[in-house]
Amino acid sequence: HISQTVFQSIISYLQSVQKFLKRSMTNNKKKSNNKKQNEKKSYRNLNAETVDSLKRLSCALVELDDKGEEEMKTIKSEHIMGLPLAHWKEMNDEVEHAYKMLNDGAELIKATSTKYTLLGKINIEDGSKLSEELRQGCELVSTSALLIHQPSLGCARPTRKFIKQHARSIITSVIALVESFVTLKALDGNEGAQKTGSVWSACDAISTKLPKGNRACMRREMFTWAGDCNETMEEFQEIVDLGPVESAPDGQIDEGNNSDDPNSWDKFCENMGTGERYTNAEIDVANACLAIIKCSRGVLNLALKASECAGNEIKTCKETTDALDSKGILQWISNLHELSREVGENVTDLGMVLYPPINLAVTNESNNTTDGKTWMKTDIWSLISMQIDATKAVANYVVDVVQPVESHTSIKMSEEVKELGSKLLFAIDNRKVEAENAL
C-alpha cells in the first residue's frame, strides 16, 4: 500500500515537472520571438531616426542665406553692391578646408551607400547599421556648406549658391535611399539600386560639376546668363525669319482668302491668331528687342574680361603686400557681378513678352512722365527700358572705372576692354532709339 502511494506521488510529480517544462519552453520561445521583433523594430527605427536627422539637416540647408541678404543689411555704404570678397582665383586656407570636408563627406556617402544597399537587400537589420555612417557623411557635407556661408570666409553669392545646391542634392538623394528601406520599397525590383545610383550621381557631381572658389563660380554664373541670351536670340530669330503675317483691315488674319473654308476658323483658333509669327507692327519691335539682348550678351562678355583684368591687379597687390588695395579691387569685382546679375536675369523677363502676339496695349495710364507718348506706358517698353539701363550701368562701371573704395590705386583695364566698353555704350544708345521708333 505504501509502495503504491509512493509510486502515484512520483507519477504526479513527474507530470507536474513535464507541464512546468512545457510552460517554460513556450515562454522562452515567446520571449525569443518578442526579442527578435523588438530588434527588427529597433533596426527599423534606426533607419527612421536617420531619415529624421537628415530631414533636419536639409531644412537647415534651405535656410542658409546664399544671397547674403542679412549680411548686406549690416553694410551701410552706397559703394558696396555685392558681398565683400576675401579671395578671387586663389582660395584661402579656410575655404580650401571647407571644400576638402565636402569632398570627404561625398566620398564617405558614396562608398557607404553601396554597402548599405547590398546588406539591406540581404538583411535590413545588418544594413541599417550603416545608416549612421551615411548620416555622418551628410553632416560633413552640410558643415562644409555652412562654412562657405560664413561672412568671415568672404565667399561670393554664386559660390554660396552652388555649394548649397549640390549639398542639398546629396542630402535629398540619401534621404530617398534610407526612406526606401523604411518603407521596404527598396526590396522591390531595382528600386534600391536606382536610389543608390542617384546618390552616386549627386556625389560625383562634387568633383565633376561643382565650380570651386569665387572666380570659378562667378564665371559659371556669367556663362549661364550669356547662354540664356544665346538661347533667347536663337528662339525668336527663328520666328522673325518666318516673316510677318498679313493682317486684314478689320484685324482678322488673312489666311489666303480661305474664308469659304469651313475649317478656317478652327485653324485660326488653334494657331492663337497669328500663330508663331509676328505681324508687321510687331516684327520691328521684336528685332529691336533681339538687338538689345545681343548687347546684353556683349555686356556680360565685357564684365568677364574686366573681372580678369581686376584679378590680375589683385595678384600685383599681393606681390607688393598691399592688402588694402586688394580688398578694394575685390569689392569692385563683386559690385560688377551684381550689376551684371540684373542684365542676365532681365533677359529671361524680356524674352517672356516676345512670344507672338506681342502685347502692345497701354497698361499704365497713371504714369504722367511720358509726355503723351502712350507707347511708353506698355509693359514691353518697361522691360526694354529696364534692360537698357542695366546694360549701360555695367558698361559705364567698366569704362569709367574709378578708384575702388578703400584702395590707393585704380584698376588698369586692357585696351580691348576699353574699346569694347565704348562700342557697347554707342550700340546701346542706338538700340534704344530703334526700340522707341519701333514702338
Side-chain angles (χ1 to χ4, degrees):
H1 178 71
I2 294 174
S3 298
Q4 187 175 0
T5 302
V6 171
F7 179 75
Q8 289 178 347
S9 300
I10 292 173
I11 292 298
S12 299
Y13 173 76
L14 290 175
Q15 288 175 346
S16 62
V17 169
Q18 186 178 17
K19 290 180 181 179
F20 173 77
L21 291 174
K22 284 183 179 181
R23 284 197 301 271
S24 297
M25 291 176 65
T26 302
N27 290 334
N28 288 336
K29 189 174 181 180
K30 288 182 179 179
K31 288 180 180 179
S32 178
N33 290 335
N34 290 335
K35 184 178 180 182
K36 290 180 179 179
Q37 289 177 358
N38 290 333
E39 287 178 352
K40 286 183 179 180
K41 188 176 180 180
S42 65
Y43 287 127
R44 184 78 62 83
N45 288 340
L46 186 59
N47 278 332
E49 289 171 4
T50 301
V51 170
D52 291 338
S53 298
L54 295 181
K55 285 184 176 179
R56 287 193 292 271
L57 279 180
S58 181
C59 291
L61 285 174
V62 172
E63 294 173 358
L64 286 178
D65 184 18
D66 55 310
K67 295 181 180 180
E69 293 176 346
E70 294 299 322
E71 188 177 343
M72 291 300 295
K73 289 179 181 178
T74 62
I75 301 174
K76 298 180 179 179
S77 174
E78 60 181 7
H79 301 293
I80 297 179
M81 293 172 275
L83 291 172
L85 307 183
H87 72 275
W88 173 240
K89 190 173 183 178
E90 297 177 1
M91 294 181 286
N92 52 40
D93 293 338
E94 292 83 359
V95 177
E96 289 276 8
H97 175 69
Y99 279 116
K100 184 180 183 303
M101 187 181 298
L102 177 67
N103 289 329
D104 292 343
E107 289 299 323
L108 176 60
I109 292 170
K110 183 179 178 181
T112 305
S113 62
T114 306
K115 295 184 289 184
Y116 174 81
T117 304
L118 291 175
L119 283 174
K121 280 277 192 177
I122 299 171
N123 189 294
I124 295 180
E125 290 79 3
D126 293 337
S128 64
K129 298 175 183 177
L130 295 173
S131 64
E132 181 70 16
E133 291 185 31
L134 289 175
R135 184 181 61 80
Q136 291 173 359
C138 290
E139 288 174 350
L140 285 174
V141 171
S142 301
T143 303
S144 67
L146 177 63
L147 288 174
I148 291 295
H149 281 72
Q150 296 305 304
S152 59
L153 267 65
C155 291
R157 180 173 169 179
T159 309
R160 302 179 182 193
K161 180 186 76 171
F162 286 123
I163 195 170
K164 178 179 176 178
Q165 286 178 349
H166 285 268
R168 289 188 63 193
S169 176
I170 291 176
I171 304 300
T172 301
S173 63
V174 174
I175 290 174
L177 174 62
V178 180
E179 269 189 335
S180 66
F181 280 95
V182 173
T183 60
L184 303 181
K185 290 182 179 180
L187 305 180
D188 299 335
N190 295 326
E191 184 77 13
Q194 291 174 357
K195 300 293 185 185
T196 307
S198 298
V199 173
W200 275 49
S201 179
C203 292
D204 287 338
I206 297 299
S207 58
T208 60
K209 296 181 179 180
L210 173 65
K212 296 179 176 65
N214 286 339
R215 178 180 178 269
C217 292
M218 294 168 83
R219 285 175 64 84
R220 173 71 65 83
E221 196 165 49
M222 284 277 200
F223 285 130
T224 301
W225 295 331
D228 292 340
C229 292
N230 287 332
E231 291 175 1
T232 303
M233 286 191 295
E234 290 174 4
E235 180 179 1
F236 292 103
Q237 188 60 53
E238 291 179 359
I239 303 176
V240 170
D241 291 342
L242 294 175
V245 294
E246 295 182 2
S247 298
D250 60 355
Q252 301 225 354
I253 304 302
D254 184 1
E255 294 287 350
N257 299 322
N258 288 333
S259 57
D260 295 333
D261 184 358
N263 297 322
S264 60
W265 178 250
D266 292 336
K267 292 178 180 178
F268 174 79
C269 293
E270 289 174 1
N271 290 332
M272 294 296 292
T274 63
E276 294 185 357
R277 295 173 67 181
Y278 295 117
T279 63
N280 283 319
E282 296 170 344
I283 199 163
D284 290 338
V285 177
N287 277 321
C289 290
L290 289 178
I292 292 172
I293 293 174
K294 187 176 182 180
C295 287
S296 302
R297 183 184 62 183
V299 162
L300 293 173
N301 184 40
L302 173 68
L304 279 168
K305 293 180 181 295
S307 297
E308 289 302 301
C309 290
N312 293 333
E313 289 295 314
I314 293 174
K315 186 177 180 181
T316 303
C317 291
K318 286 186 176 180
E319 291 173 354
T320 58
T321 64
D322 196 338
L324 196 60
D325 282 350
S326 177
K327 181 180 178 181
I329 296 172
L330 283 169
Q331 186 60 57
W332 185 88
I333 294 175
S334 182
N335 291 346
L336 178 61
H337 190 83
E338 287 308 307
L339 289 173
S340 302
R341 180 184 302 282
E342 188 172 356
V343 174
E345 293 179 349
N346 285 352
V347 165
T348 302
D349 295 334
L350 183 56
M352 290 296 294
V353 299
L354 287 181
Y355 287 100
I358 296 177
N359 181 15
L360 300 177
V362 174
T363 57
N364 189 10
E365 293 289 355
S366 62
N367 189 351
N368 297 320
T369 63
T370 58
D371 298 328
K373 299 176 181 178
T374 56
W375 53 268
M376 296 183 71
K377 300 177 182 179
T378 59
D379 287 339
I380 192 167
W381 172 250
S382 298
L383 293 171
I384 290 173
S385 178
M386 190 184 304
Q387 190 67 358
I388 288 172
D389 291 342
T391 51
K392 289 187 72 172
V394 174
N396 281 321
Y397 196 71
V398 174
V399 172
D400 301 332
V401 56
V402 294
Q403 182 172 307
V405 182
E406 298 183 0
S407 176
H408 298 107
T409 61
S410 60
I411 301 172
K412 297 177 182 178
M413 292 294 163
S414 66
E415 291 299 322
E416 179 189 7
V417 171
K418 293 178 182 178
E419 183 180 358
L420 179 59
S422 299
K423 287 182 177 179
L424 281 168
L425 283 172
F426 179 75
I428 293 168
D429 287 335
N430 287 340
R431 302 296 85 80
K432 179 181 180 182
V433 173
E434 292 173 0
E436 290 175 348
N437 293 335
L439 284 169

